[in-house]
Amino acid sequence: MMRKLFAASAAFLAAACTTIPQRQATPPVEIQILAFNDFHGNLETPPPVDVTEADGTKHKIVSGGAAHLAAALSGLRAGHPNTVTVSAGDTIGASPLISANYLDEPTIDAMNMLGLEFNSVGNHEFDKGIAELKRMQSGGCAKYTLRTPCAVEPFAGARFHYLAANVVQEDGGTIFPPSGIKTFETPAGPIIIGFIGMTLKGTKQLVTPSGVRGVSFADEAASANALVPKLKAEGADAIVLLIHQGGKTTNFTTGNGCDGLYGDILPILPKLDPAIATIVSGHTHWAYVCRGTQQVGAGRLLTSAGKYGYFVTDLRLRFNPRTHRLLGQDASNVIVGNGEHGDDPAVKGLVDRYAAAVAPVGNRVIGHLTATARKNDEDGESPAADLVADSMLAATRTAEMGGAQLALVNSTGVRVDLPGGDVRYKDSFAMMPFGNNLVVMTLTGTQLKAALEQQYAIPLRAKATRPTVLAPSAGFTYAVDLTKPEGSRVSDLRLNDAAVNPGGRYRVVLNNYLASGGDGISAFTEGTDVTDRGIIDLDALVAWIARGQTPPSDSRIRLSH
Ligand SMILES: [Zn+2]
């Protein structure tokens, strides 16, 4: 009887459908996209962050950590059958010790567990070179860096898809697929979304040149637009761009405003094909939701979820159930919190395993420093940078290790002060997190002066009163007069009190970032007799502190103006 009644009413409904208007019969189909960016290996809850509310009041929020992020994502997905999770790059790289010490393998594992499906590459994905990035995708324990892969457990690689639409190899192909398709089986039939992923075209200036040799980073809008016909041919009902480039707003808020949007994403937006209506951005570490403003474009949505897993952007795209046309969309940033959405037990288990593994590594006392070695906030010469230069020289001074006579280090790469007293490994890691290796080369006196001149040719950064400098090791001094014209600002180069001879040959130790032309100092690429014994800069610092040190006095560069 029940079945008969049901069949009869179904028949009635089927007949009624022809007369009742479509929009009344079936509501729009909603697709949920959960997005974040710039996670940077923050498996554990990062330090509190200051946010400004709409009324101008400031307060701190504690938010993030992979287990909290996973739980927040699960909560947001509840009741949404059509959902996909994506990231706009810098998921790995510049990570805390718990992830960096293990080549970010646990972060990839965490991303697998929390259901990430598409991840655009960002600049930091290239920190350890392309071969190592490909290992992040495909897994395995092949060694492409000085650290030991698979140190805690085997590594199977990412189950999500890296996308790299503008990272072009010499053969014209991209290093990862440029785009991906996700099909949602809905009662209104399949809704298809195309995802394009890319990093900023300026990536080459932000990473160690030797790690990205042989690839170029193409224009963002041109690369994205070229994929639109292909995605349409594959049936895409909407196209979402995951781009590791972004903007900033006037204040760092909890992420739902767009006031005063500025930044490098803006010139890209008007060039994008109108079919790209949804843009998930990143790189600036800012959080915003911009809806259809003049800057963003009518009907368009531009979002970013800050950094470190503080926020998740919950995007909703609504489609006409009959034509599958995109009817509208909206988004909001949700605070991940510090456990308010719960803890994902599996992800927590992973994080706990790696926290236990890294604790003895991080807490090990490596030596003693008589006082805090301070960093200069404007990246000028500093006791911290000089201390690093001294450690590099000490590690490579012997003929066997390269026979270095002097060291130069980019002070921007020296991240924080090194606290005085007993120094722990985690303190030295925080100061030198990049894991560059030391390269010794021969430069003539002329080439050495050219390199020093080039550092002062870099335009002053917005608020800096001094240029960012190459900090020298003890015994190497020079004078600078910034009022002189470019190319003649550096004088009186001395090594152990003897004047540097233009025709003389000097063994100079640098990190591999500078040695391969980083920071625009091309003179270092002219070095000869290049020696790389595989010493990591951080290990050199650790060995130096182990001998017991006093912070240098930061008086090796004499600045006349
Ligand atoms: Zn970035």
Side-chain angles (χ1 to χ4, degrees):
M1 183 64 184
M2 284 296 282
R3 186 174 295 167
K4 229 175 213 170
L5 261 180
F6 179 79
S9 57
F12 170 78
L13 279 174
C17 278
T18 56
T19 53
I20 295 173
Q22 198 54 240
R23 62 190 166 83
Q24 272 186 317
T26 36
V29 181
E30 187 177 80
I31 305 292
Q32 178 187 51
I33 301 173
L34 298 174
F36 56 92
N37 52 276
D38 296 274
F39 182 73
H40 286 294
N42 280 269
L43 295 173
E44 296 177 300
T45 306
V49 58
D50 277 312
V51 293
T52 305
E53 294 293 347
D55 65 4
T57 57
K58 285 183 195 292
H59 62 105
K60 283 188 194 298
I61 58 167
V62 180
S63 182
H68 297 153
L69 176 60
L73 289 167
S74 299
L76 290 168
R77 284 178 198 128
H80 296 279
N82 308 314
T83 182
V84 58
T85 300
V86 299
S87 168
D90 280 7
T91 306
I92 58 170
S95 310
L97 188 62
I98 184 175
S99 186
N101 200 53
Y102 304 105
L103 289 163
D104 286 318
E105 291 166 0
T107 294
I108 300 293
D109 291 339
M111 292 296 127
N112 289 339
M113 295 164 89
L114 58 73
L116 183 63
E117 293 190 48
F118 295 108
N119 181 55
S120 76
V121 290
N123 52 301
H124 279 287
E125 263 78 13
F126 295 92
D127 281 353
K128 298 207 157 18
I130 287 168
E132 174 67 359
L133 176 57
K134 289 196 168 172
R135 188 179 75 89
M136 294 291 104
Q137 176 74 79
S138 58
C141 302
K143 189 172 175 173
Y144 299 109
T145 75
L146 298 172
R147 289 195 189 281
T148 305
C150 306
V152 173
E153 53 201 25
F155 178 60
R159 289 201 295 271
F160 57 86
H161 301 283
Y162 277 102
L163 301 178
N166 67 338
V167 189
V168 185
Q169 303 167 155
E170 274 156 355
D171 67 4
T174 53
I175 62 158
F176 292 116
S179 61
I181 285 275
K182 168 106 180 170
T183 303
F184 299 90
E185 297 298 345
T186 79
I191 300 271
I192 301 175
I193 299 196
F195 293 92
I196 298 170
M198 61 177 60
T199 183
L200 66 157
K201 70 177 176 206
T203 293
K204 205 150 210 167
Q205 283 77 56
L206 299 173
V207 298
T208 299
S210 54
V212 291
R213 197 159 284 148
V215 302
S216 56
F217 296 87
D219 181 77
E220 299 95 345
S223 304
N225 293 347
L227 291 161
V228 170
K230 173 180 109 78
L231 289 169
K232 282 184 172 169
E234 289 170 358
D237 298 305
I239 299 175
V240 177
L241 176 61
L242 312 177
I243 180 168
H244 190 72
Q245 178 57 288
K248 288 186 179 181
T249 56
T250 311
N251 290 313
F252 190 92
T253 67
T254 47
N256 288 303
C258 183
D259 287 349
L261 181 74
Y262 65 97
D264 292 336
I265 192 75
L266 289 185
I268 299 169
L269 298 173
K271 293 191 277 178
L272 288 172
D273 190 307
I276 302 169
T278 314
I279 300 155
V280 175
S281 63
H283 187 54
T284 57
H285 293 185
W286 224 253
Y288 44 83
V289 172
C290 303
R291 301 169 184 84
T293 60
Q294 201 190 351
Q295 287 174 308
V296 169
R300 256 209 196 119
L301 195 55
L302 171 74
T303 69
S304 177
K307 63 174 177 178
Y308 301 170
Y310 293 150
F311 306 108
V312 171
T313 315
D314 183 352
L315 298 95
R316 309 286 178 86
L317 278 60
R318 292 181 303 279
F319 294 87
N320 180 308
R322 197 166 42 82
T323 64
H324 292 189
R325 202 171 59 81
L326 182 65
L327 295 173
Q329 52 181 342
D330 205 352
S332 63
N333 270 313
V334 177
I335 298 173
V336 165
N338 191 25
E340 294 86 338
H341 299 272
D343 247 338
D344 182 296
V347 176
K348 185 171 186 306
L350 170 82
V351 175
D352 287 350
R353 259 190 336 271
Y354 278 87
V358 84
V361 178
N363 290 328
R364 183 169 63 90
V365 173
I366 57 169
H368 194 84
L369 193 61
T370 56
T372 296
R374 303 241 174 247
K375 174 191 161 58
N376 178 300
D377 284 340
E378 293 172 356
D379 294 321
E381 189 193 359
S382 66
D386 286 0
L387 181 76
V388 169
D390 289 346
S391 74
M392 293 164 60
L393 178 59
T396 54
R397 204 193 278 273
T398 63
E400 193 195 347
M401 289 301 162
Q405 297 166 278
L406 68 105
L408 291 167
V409 64
N410 46 316
S411 44
T412 48
V414 179
R415 306 301 277 183
V416 293
D417 300 346
L418 191 62
D422 283 343
V423 180
R424 292 177 191 279
Y425 182 77
K426 61 185 175 190
D427 301 324
S428 64
F429 175 86
M431 189 194 206
M432 302 289 294
F434 296 112
N436 289 308
N437 44 320
L438 299 183
V439 175
V440 187
M441 62 174 66
T442 298
L443 293 172
T444 64
T446 302
Q447 287 168 335
L448 185 54
K449 180 173 183 297
L452 296 179
E453 292 286 1
Q454 281 180 334
Q455 68 178 318
Y456 294 112
I458 302 168
L460 281 179
R461 290 187 312 162
K463 283 186 216 146
T465 53
R466 299 210 283 176
T468 66
V469 302
L470 299 172
S473 53
F476 184 65
T477 60
Y478 59 92
V480 179
D481 183 348
L482 292 175
T483 64
K484 295 242 173 83
E486 196 175 307
S488 56
R489 291 170 177 163
V490 174
S491 62
D492 196 24
L493 281 66
R494 292 182 168 271
L495 181 59
N496 304 323
D497 286 332
V500 167
N501 176 354
R505 293 163 64 78
Y506 300 90
R507 294 290 284 164
V508 181
V509 57
L510 308 161
N511 59 43
N512 63 312
Y513 172 77
L514 283 178
S516 60
D519 273 358
I521 304 177
S522 61
F524 290 138
T525 63
E526 294 165 18
T528 54
D529 299 320
V530 176
T531 308
D532 181 346
R533 294 274 182 262
I535 304 166
I536 302 181
D537 53 6
L538 175 59
D539 294 344
L541 179 67
V542 168
W544 186 237
I545 300 296
R547 298 192 202 174
Q549 299 297 339
T550 297
S553 66
D554 106 15
S555 55
R556 298 164 187 175
I557 305 174
R558 293 191 308 286
L559 200 63
S560 352
H561 284 88

